[in-house]
Amino acid sequence: MIDPFFDSLATALGGQIAVALGSTAQSALDKVRGLLRRRDDPATLAALEAAESEAGRPQIEALAERLDQVAQDDPEFGAELRDAGAEVHHELSATQNRVVNQNSGTVHNLIQSEQINGDITFN
């Protein structure tokens, strides 16, 4: 099964939703595209070019599979992709009135939720 993160990146790289991305996510997408183009990997470049030129679901899925495989084969590069493309994935995940919760740093009490019904008590 393809990692949903790489499916989000492939969908955005294929241009199917690129116009809907905000400026921060668009900038992140440009970083991802640059990382992929600088990498000496003909199979990945071919998958990227096919997704960009045809942007059909088969090309998008092939790119997502390739990104997933590259990340497994080269964890350091996979981490770079995740770092560069995080904003794209978060923006695409926050659709249909969904919430994407993020936290970085040290907190004492933290609740992240889409919907809470009832009371919350911290002791």
Side-chain angles (χ1 to χ4, degrees):
M1 182 169 167
I2 298 170
D3 185 323
F5 181 88
F6 295 118
D7 189 50
S8 294
L9 286 185
T11 300
L13 287 164
Q16 291 191 345
I17 51 78
V19 294
L21 293 176
S23 62
T24 304
Q26 188 64 52
S27 177
L29 186 61
D30 292 340
K31 282 184 186 178
V32 168
R33 189 175 281 116
L35 278 173
L36 295 174
R37 291 194 190 285
R38 285 189 299 275
R39 185 175 171 82
D40 186 23
D41 182 355
T44 301
L45 287 176
L48 174 62
E49 290 171 7
E52 289 177 332
S53 66
E54 299 197 26
R57 194 64 209 161
Q59 291 80 14
I60 300 296
E61 287 176 3
L63 178 57
E65 288 173 5
R66 185 68 197 146
L67 295 177
D68 198 15
Q69 186 62 52
V70 167
Q72 289 178 34
D73 293 346
D74 184 349
E76 187 176 311
F77 185 72
E80 285 183 74
L81 277 177
R82 286 185 183 280
D83 185 50
E87 185 62 36
V88 175
H89 179 66
H90 291 290
E91 192 163 318
L92 292 180
S93 298
T95 60
Q96 300 174 359
N97 294 323
R98 304 284 303 188
V99 174
V100 176
N101 295 310
Q102 292 179 279
N103 175 62
S104 65
T106 304
V107 296
H108 181 64
N109 295 319
L110 173 68
I111 296 176
Q112 294 184 316
S113 175
E114 181 176 335
Q115 181 177 358
I116 297 174
N117 294 313
D119 297 334
I120 296 175
T121 304
F122 291 103
N123 292 323

